[in-house]
């Protein structure tokens, strides 16, 4: 153990020396975020049953979350960390990066399992010795150069991207964003009057259904018209992501097959429409992402068409300097269970509208193979009304959210479980009601860099969550609530 610590300290000293030498030659601007939170979720399974009945792990059609350790209350503490150095090389070039630790820009306090899976069989003997793993202790989420010219800004390397409301392309710039959309490639930002043109090319590695290979790529461009004087903006982003047929792509997820099989050639297109208009104190924003094309042999048969779409609508009215009222509405397509096409869309995990509904991957509470923050809005039509009060130090937001599922299981038909990405034959009919949630959030601005906050979410759970796909073993939906306290520093 002492030898490991010595090696780690030697590496740290070398990095520190390099940083000192670099700072003598080049100016470095440091930014970043560090935050810690504690979360309690009562009745995270959203059902009255207090024992495992037909959980997802043993019944791919069920909505029941496994009981895990036997406690229906989940309590966990986590941290988020990202460091963003900006090195100014000269007037025409800069280097930028984002460094984090662990998966999802952080991890759980007291749990290093996401970065260290080793087992030395000395748990009882070393119980009193707290130590952290050096394996994967630093993760490079971004590393790219920016080149400035009279005609454009060129970004080369691993960099993030934003578009519209962030429903699909979301760089994760907010304090508590656990994920970031990124691409390894080249992006050019060309400004002509009120128009911004962003063509790009990137190599891709789609985790899950596509394995690492050298012939998968993405090409696209965003065109945005933004007229600040007229308070209007609208644009279109179009991208094409493809994978060649001879690449060793495999899929075991969608059908739950015991062995992998080749997906074959894929050709997926993303069309994302964005619009924004401000009328005095009223702001309206709309984003419509559409996914189409060939998704490959998802069901180990013929090539599958993909046809997914969403409609995201956000409004905001500023009543005074202190009060703001907002109304949001959206519809995100789900999958019907067809084996000839795929219609579900999963939004970026950073895009959320509630404190509990859609917010967490609850399978992770009892299964370490999942991550609690890998959660996506999908298969839902929702409406949200919120009111916000701001003062010099405080910010309070109260909201009400209603939602229903667009696609549900129907007796005797091929159906799709949006929680585990599996197709199954329905033995029962599923309700569409996701429920209604009441949220309350607050932030106290200790100073310009430090915030202390909290959130409360109470979900009147709908019968959608009681579905077990087993008429002889039914569940009853039950309410759930989440409470969180957090503190963060931005620098």
């Amino acid at each position: 153990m002492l030898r490991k610590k010595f090696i780690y300290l030697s590496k740290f000293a070398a990095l520190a020396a390099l940083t000192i030498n670099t700072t003598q030659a080049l100016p470095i601007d440091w930014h970043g975020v560090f935050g810690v939170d504690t979360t309690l979720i009562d009745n995270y399974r959203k059902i009255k049953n207090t024992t495992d009945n037909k959980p997802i792990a043993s019944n791919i059609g069920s909505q029941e979350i496994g009981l895990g350790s036997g406690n229906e209350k989940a309590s966990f503490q986590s941290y988020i960390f990202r460091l963003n150095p900006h090195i100014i090389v000269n007037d025409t070039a800069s280097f930028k990066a984002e460094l984090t630790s662990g998966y999802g820009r952080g991890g759980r306090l007291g749990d290093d399992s996401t970065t260290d899976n080793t087992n030395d069989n000395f748990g009882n003997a070393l119980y009193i010795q707290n130590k952290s793993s050096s394996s994967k202790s630093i993760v490079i989420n971004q590393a790219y150069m920016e080149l400035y010219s009279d005609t454009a800004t060129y970004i080369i390397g691993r960099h993030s991207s934003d578009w519209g409301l962030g429903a699909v392309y979301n760089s994760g710039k907010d304090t508590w964003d656990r994920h970031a959309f990124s691409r390894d490639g080249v992006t050019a930002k060309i400004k002509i009057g009120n128009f911004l043109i962003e063509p790009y090319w990137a190599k891709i590695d789609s985790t899950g259904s596509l394995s690492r290979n050298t012939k998968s790529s993405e090409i696209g461009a965003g065109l945005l018209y933004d007229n600040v004087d007229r308070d209007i903006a609208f644009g279109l982003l179009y991208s094409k992501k493809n994978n060649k047929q001879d690449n060793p792509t495999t899929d075991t997820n969608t059908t739950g097959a015991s062995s992998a099989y080749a997906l074959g050639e894929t050709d997926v297109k993303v069309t994302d429409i964005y619009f924004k208009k401000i009328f005095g104190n009223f702001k309206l924003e709309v984003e419509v992402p559409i996914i189409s094309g060939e998704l490959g042999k998802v069901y180990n048969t013929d090539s599958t068409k993909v046809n997914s779409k969403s409609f995201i609508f956000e409004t905001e009215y500023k009543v005074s300097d202190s009060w703001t009222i907002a109304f949001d509405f959206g519809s995100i397509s789900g999958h019907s269970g067809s084996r000839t096409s795929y219609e579900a869309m999963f939004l970026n995990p950073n895009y959320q509208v509630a404190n509990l509904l859609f917010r967490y991957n609850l399978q992770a509470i009892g299964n370490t193979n999942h991550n609690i923050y890998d959660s996506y809005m999908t298969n839902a039509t929702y409406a949200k009304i919120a009111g916000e009060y701001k003062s010099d130090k405080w910010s309070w937001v109260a909201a009400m959210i209603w939602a229903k599922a667009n696609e549900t299981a129907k007796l005797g038909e091929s159906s799709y479980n949006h929680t585990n990405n599996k197709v199954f034959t329905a033995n029962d009919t599923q309700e569409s009601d996701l429920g209604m949630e009441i949220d309350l959030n607050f932030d106290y601005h200790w100073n310009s860099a430090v915030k202390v906050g909290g959130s409360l979410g109470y979900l009147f759970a709908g019968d959608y969550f009681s579905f077990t796909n087993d008429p002889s073993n039914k569940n009853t939906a039950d309410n759930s609530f989440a409470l969180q306290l957090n503190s963060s520093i931005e620098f």
Side-chain angles (χ1 to χ4, degrees):
M1 185 178 296
L2 291 175
R3 183 175 179 272
K4 288 184 178 179
K5 289 184 177 180
F6 176 77
I7 294 174
Y8 178 76
L9 291 173
S10 300
K11 291 181 179 179
F12 180 80
L15 179 61
L18 179 62
T19 303
I20 293 174
N21 291 334
T22 304
T23 55
Q24 293 176 352
L26 298 172
I28 302 179
D29 189 13
W30 293 94
H31 296 283
V33 167
F34 181 78
V36 177
D37 63 15
T38 178
T39 305
L40 170 68
I41 306 178
D42 183 65
N43 190 22
Y44 65 88
R45 304 170 77 211
K46 307 185 190 73
I47 56 175
K48 290 184 178 180
N49 188 17
T50 57
T51 60
D52 275 341
N53 184 8
K54 288 284 186 176
I56 294 175
S58 59
N59 182 358
I60 62 173
S62 176
Q63 283 295 318
E64 181 178 324
I65 302 297
L67 193 57
S69 60
N71 192 343
E72 292 191 343
K73 292 183 180 180
S75 178
F76 54 93
Q77 294 73 43
S78 71
Y79 72 92
I80 190 168
F81 164 72
R82 64 178 187 263
L83 187 63
N84 301 95
H86 176 192
I87 302 175
I88 303 173
V89 179
N90 53 41
D91 293 339
T92 62
S94 293
F95 173 79
K96 297 181 179 180
E98 178 181 292
L99 309 177
T100 63
S101 63
Y103 176 80
R105 293 172 158 180
R108 292 195 195 184
L109 297 182
D111 179 8
D112 201 28
S113 60
T114 57
T115 59
D116 186 6
N117 295 321
T118 60
N119 183 4
D120 54 16
N121 297 320
F122 284 90
N124 56 334
L126 303 179
Y127 178 77
I128 62 171
Q129 302 185 31
N130 299 331
K131 60 180 180 177
S132 61
S133 168
S134 61
S135 174
K136 299 181 182 177
S137 56
I138 297 179
V139 180
I140 303 177
N141 283 340
Q142 299 182 53
Y144 62 94
M145 66 179 78
E146 279 191 352
L147 307 179
Y148 313 110
S149 71
D150 295 336
T151 57
T153 298
Y154 300 95
I155 303 173
I156 305 173
R158 175 168 294 180
H159 55 283
S160 62
S161 177
D162 276 302
W163 178 260
L165 295 168
V168 177
Y169 298 91
N170 190 308
S171 66
K173 58 182 178 293
D174 291 341
T175 301
W176 291 100
D177 285 343
R178 300 282 179 169
H179 300 275
F181 177 88
S182 64
R183 61 171 66 105
D184 294 348
V186 181
T187 299
K189 295 186 176 182
I190 306 169
K191 190 77 164 63
I192 304 175
N194 293 322
F195 288 92
L196 176 62
I197 307 171
E198 293 191 10
Y200 66 86
W201 173 89
K203 298 294 294 182
I204 61 172
D205 173 20
S206 301
T207 304
S209 54
L210 296 183
S211 63
R212 290 179 176 85
N213 55 75
T214 60
K215 296 184 179 180
S216 296
S217 63
E218 179 181 3
I219 186 170
L223 173 61
L224 179 68
Y225 173 80
D226 189 1
N227 192 324
V228 179
D229 295 333
R230 296 187 177 183
D231 290 329
I232 188 171
F234 57 86
L236 172 68
L237 184 144
Y238 179 82
S239 70
K240 184 177 181 180
K241 182 180 294 187
N242 64 73
N243 177 74
K244 299 301 182 182
Q245 187 172 4
D246 57 345
N247 283 335
T249 56
T250 58
D251 192 328
T252 59
N253 296 329
T254 308
T255 59
S258 58
S259 60
Y261 54 87
L263 276 178
E265 186 173 355
T266 65
D267 186 4
V268 177
K269 305 173 185 67
V270 178
T271 304
D272 201 332
I273 304 167
Y274 173 69
F275 174 80
K276 180 178 75 172
K277 175 61 180 175
I278 299 176
F279 304 91
N281 291 333
F282 179 79
K283 181 172 70 172
L284 164 68
E285 289 185 274
V286 179
E287 183 174 351
V288 183
I290 303 170
I291 301 176
S292 60
E294 301 286 343
L295 197 56
K297 297 180 180 179
V298 175
Y299 304 105
N300 198 15
T301 55
D302 295 331
S303 182
T304 302
K305 299 281 187 181
V306 57
N307 183 18
S308 309
K309 52 187 176 296
S310 297
F311 177 82
I312 312 296
F313 176 93
E314 294 186 3
T315 66
E316 180 183 288
Y317 180 74
K318 189 174 182 181
V319 180
S320 64
D321 291 338
S322 300
W323 286 95
T324 302
I325 298 174
F327 175 75
D328 301 341
F329 171 82
S331 182
I332 310 159
S333 64
H335 184 40
S336 63
S338 168
R339 292 179 178 269
T340 59
S341 64
Y342 186 81
E343 302 98 16
M345 176 174 285
F346 289 75
L347 299 187
N348 191 288
N350 292 334
Y351 190 86
Q352 300 285 341
V353 298
N355 290 343
L356 183 53
L357 193 62
F358 312 114
R359 174 71 64 169
Y360 301 105
N361 178 7
L362 298 173
Q363 294 183 87
I365 294 173
N367 188 340
T368 56
N369 292 325
H370 298 271
N371 186 277
I372 193 74
Y373 299 109
D374 285 346
S375 58
Y376 312 84
M377 292 188 64
T378 184
N379 186 36
T381 295
Y382 67 90
K384 174 181 179 179
I385 185 169
E388 180 179 17
Y389 172 78
K390 284 185 177 181
S391 65
D392 291 340
K393 292 289 187 178
W394 290 91
S395 172
W396 293 86
V397 178
M400 181 179 294
I401 303 98
W402 164 87
K404 77 174 189 69
N406 291 325
E407 299 287 348
T408 57
K410 297 176 177 60
L411 177 62
E413 297 183 9
S414 179
S415 304
Y416 177 74
N417 190 332
H418 295 78
T419 303
N420 61 10
N421 190 31
K422 298 289 191 300
V423 173
F424 65 98
T425 300
N427 298 319
D428 202 356
T429 297
Q430 184 178 21
E431 298 293 331
S432 62
D433 182 25
L434 291 171
M436 180 175 291
E437 180 172 328
I438 298 175
D439 289 346
L440 179 65
N441 300 340
F442 77 89
D443 282 314
Y444 174 70
H445 299 260
W446 190 322
N447 52 48
S448 59
V450 179
K451 284 195 299 186
V452 178
S455 65
L456 172 68
Y458 191 94
L459 174 63
F460 299 90
D463 289 332
Y464 176 90
F465 298 104
S466 65
F467 184 72
T468 63
N469 198 34
D470 186 352
S472 62
N473 291 285
K474 293 189 175 184
N475 286 328
T476 301
D478 196 15
N479 299 342
S480 175
F481 77 85
L483 175 66
Q484 183 182 99
L485 296 174
N486 59 68
S487 180
S488 64
I489 180 170
E490 299 182 30
F491 54 91

